[in-house]
């Protein structure tokens, strides 16, 4: 986790480093720091808490220098505090780190046995000590870093700065992303290209095991065997404006409202509406023998995978296994030859999902990845890349990336069904027609924003909330509960409506709002029966359904929300809108930090 930026500049760089960190805050925001090197050596400023605290520190005590490194942290080893905040300085080296050094304990013990004194609880400080020791032994910085990198196990992206060499910056990556940026007489490092968007559009993505020596006007990349390598230099095409809130109060609200547009953009790459065909970038021949799909993801992306399982089973009649990435690798899953392993991730960098992807590859699976960041590790390692076109998602709680994932997954299910001979031309045309209707239906759901905001006071005082749904609305119930937990800190559970009678029904009383997602369709009657079981026990129900559903079952509910009538296929995309907006308005009512909820980070690059 964490975000890092480095600048070898031509003028003062402190403000530009902080601007880069601002774009990386999604990676963590429990403390931040910068270190510059100038004529007087190192100048470091660090602060616990949000980046604003570091900015205040810098305003009070400005830092000068034309080269520097900076870091925004999501704590792994050592609580969030100023002493644990990066950069860490030992002797003549300063380092910022994203990832985990798994062998830091034995390294630290050995260093302490030599009499070295540690000032923080972090794993990162061992890197600074190891490099400092090499420098003390008389090795120049490049040789010092070269000697230390093979000693580090785990995952890392690093940027290192040297007290006596203001013209040098060294970066390294293994299992965590790092981007090199090229400027006019300047050079940059960043956790992603977005961090560098205002500095440069010319970037190279380091490969795993690469390290890079940046000097003014010369950038040298080496691989893990220390051989000079060239990595493609590409135009990132990103602009800082992509990460502005516009007229919205929060990024999350902006991103919720962008959904019809970005889902339409995404569908454009996967559908040929005029021909009534789905058109994935995979020849049908490559899919026709797929007999099993294994889906792996984390968090909200996992719930997108759960929805996809219904579609894949129903349309393609293919066996589907699904697991969260952190469990998948450790349960010794049976992966038969010829299987398709499908990884879903907004960031494409989530460490658990990436490790699962590599495991599935080693087990001979064909790897497909539904990813929002096209330059991410997962995107680069997949055999079949299925990008979502949601654009940068900044709010920590995923919204638009989720519905774009659903759009791609629905198209994939239809494509697989066709390739396996399970879909007639007519059925395919019908699916395409319904998917193409999704953006307009989502727009209609967004128009309910004021009505959804009016529900927030019913939920905000609750200590516990239940969400119920059946079929593809069950993962939507899970997603609704997750959204509420993430940003409003209210305990919430999503349940398969029919499973509620096997336990959670004991929780029902008038203080526990029960939110029922029940679009009319084949499962409506059964869901409503479960809802009546709640009501019979004094439960307070908020029913989210369409006009027909509310006419049949809306009486006696605490509140109802009338949704547009949708085809069951696209209901998950459309019902995502009210669950997202409800969580948003409850969080606003509770005054929480919507875009940067406590303890979370957007991209979790540690296992
Ligand atoms: C974090 C985020 C979630 C996200 C999950 C998976 O926990 O807070 O919003 O769903 O990671 O991230 P990914 O980038 O792999 O989709």
């Amino acid at each position: 986790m964490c975000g890092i930026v480095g600048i070898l500049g031509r003028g003062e760089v402190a403000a530009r480093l902080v601007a880069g960190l601002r774009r990386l805050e999604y990676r963590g925001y429990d403390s931040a720091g910068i270190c510059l090197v100038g004529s007087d050596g190192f100048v470091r400023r660090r602060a616990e808490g949000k980046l604003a605290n570091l900015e205040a520190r810098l305003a009070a005590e400005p830092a000068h220098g034309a080269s520097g490194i900076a870091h925004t942290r999501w704590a792994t080893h050592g609580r969030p505090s100023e002493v644990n905040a990066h950069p860490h300085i030992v002797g003549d080296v300063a380092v910022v780190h994203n990832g985990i050094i798994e062998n830091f304990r034995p390294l630290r013990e050995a260093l302490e046995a030599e009499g070295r004194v540690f000032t923080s609880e972090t794993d990162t400080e061992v890197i600074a000590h190891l490099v400092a020791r090499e420098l003390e032994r008389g090795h120049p910085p490049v040789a010092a870093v070269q000697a230390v990198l093979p000693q580090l196990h785990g995952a890392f992206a690093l940027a290192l700065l040297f007290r006596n060499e203001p013209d040098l910056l060294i970066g390294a990556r293994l299992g965590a992303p790092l981007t090199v940026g090229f400027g006019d007489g300047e050079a940059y490092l960043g956790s992603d290209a977005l961090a560098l968007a205002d500095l440069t559009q010319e970037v190279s993505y380091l490969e795993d095991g690469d390290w890079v020596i940046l000097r003014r006007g010369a950038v040298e990349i080496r691989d893990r065997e220390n051989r000079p390598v060239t990595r493609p230099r590409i135009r990132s095409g990103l602009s800082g404006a992509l990460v502005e809130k516009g007229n919205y109060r929060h990024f999350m609200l902006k991103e919720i409202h962008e959904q019809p547009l970005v889902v339409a953009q995404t569908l454009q790459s996967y559908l040929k509406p005029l021909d009534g065909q789905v058109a994935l970038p995979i020849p049908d021949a490559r899919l026709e023998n797929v007999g099993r799909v294994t889906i792996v993801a984390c968090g909200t992306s996992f719930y997108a995978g759960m929805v996809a399982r219904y579609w894949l089973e129903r349309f393609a009649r293919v066996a589907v296994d699904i697991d969260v990435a952190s469990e998948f690798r450790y349960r010794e899953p049976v992966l038969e030859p010829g299987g398709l392993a499908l990884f879903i991730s907004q960031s494409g960098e989530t460490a658990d999902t990436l490790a699962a992807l590599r495991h599935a590859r080693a087990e001979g699976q064909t790897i497909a990845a539904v990813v929002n960041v096209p330059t991410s590790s997962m995107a680069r390692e997949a055999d079949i890349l299925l990008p979502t076109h949601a654009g940068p998602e900044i709010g920590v709680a995923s919204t638009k990336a989720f519905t774009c994932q659903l759009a791609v997954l629905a198209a994939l299910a239809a494509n697989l069904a066709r390739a396996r001979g399970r879909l007639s031309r007519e059925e395919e045309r019908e699916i395409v027609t319904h998917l193409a209707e999704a953006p307009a239906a989502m727009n209609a759901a967004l128009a309910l924003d004021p009505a959804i905001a009016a529900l927030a006071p019913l939920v905000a005082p609750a200590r516990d909330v239940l969400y119920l749904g059946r079929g593809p609305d069950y993962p939507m119930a899970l997603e609704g509960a997750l959204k509420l937990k993430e940003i409003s800190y209210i305990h919430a559970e999503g349940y398969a409506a029919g499973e509620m009678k096997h336990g959670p029904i004991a929780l029902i009383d008038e203080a526990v709002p029960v939110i029922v997602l029940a679009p009319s369709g084949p499962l409506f009657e059964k869901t409503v029966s479960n809802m009546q079981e709640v009501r019979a026990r004094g439960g307070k129900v908020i029913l989210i359904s369409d006009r027909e559903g509310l006419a049949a079952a809306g009486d006696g509910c605490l509140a109802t929300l009338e949704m547009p009538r949708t085809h069951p296929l696209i209901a998950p995309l459309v019902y995502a809108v009210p669950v997202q907006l409800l969580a948003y308005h409850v969080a606003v009512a509770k005054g929480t930090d919507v875009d940067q909820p406590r303890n979370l980070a957007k991209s979790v690059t540690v296992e």
Side-chain angles (χ1 to χ4, degrees), residues 370-423:
V370 177
V371 170
N372 195 43
V373 179
T375 52
S376 60
S377 303
M378 282 180 229
R380 280 182 287 135
E381 293 186 28
D383 303 313
I384 300 169
L385 174 61
L386 304 172
T388 47
H389 300 295
E393 191 182 64
I394 306 299
V396 164
S398 185
T399 52
K400 63 176 180 170
F402 173 67
T403 42
C404 287
Q405 288 166 349
L406 292 177
V408 174
L409 292 165
L412 172 67
N415 203 322
L416 193 57
R418 183 183 67 206
R420 284 168 51 81
R422 300 283 179 168
L423 205 63

Side-chain angles (χ1 to χ4, degrees), residues 21 25 53 66 75 120 134 139 170 177-178 203 233 247 274 309 316 364 369 384 400 418 447 567 597:
L21 287 186
E25 256 194 312
N53 297 357
S120 78
E134 295 300 319
H139 297 300
I170 296 182
L178 193 63
V203 298
R233 203 159 143 163
N247 292 329
L274 294 180
R309 175 172 60 179
I384 300 169
K400 63 176 180 170
R418 183 183 67 206
H567 187 272

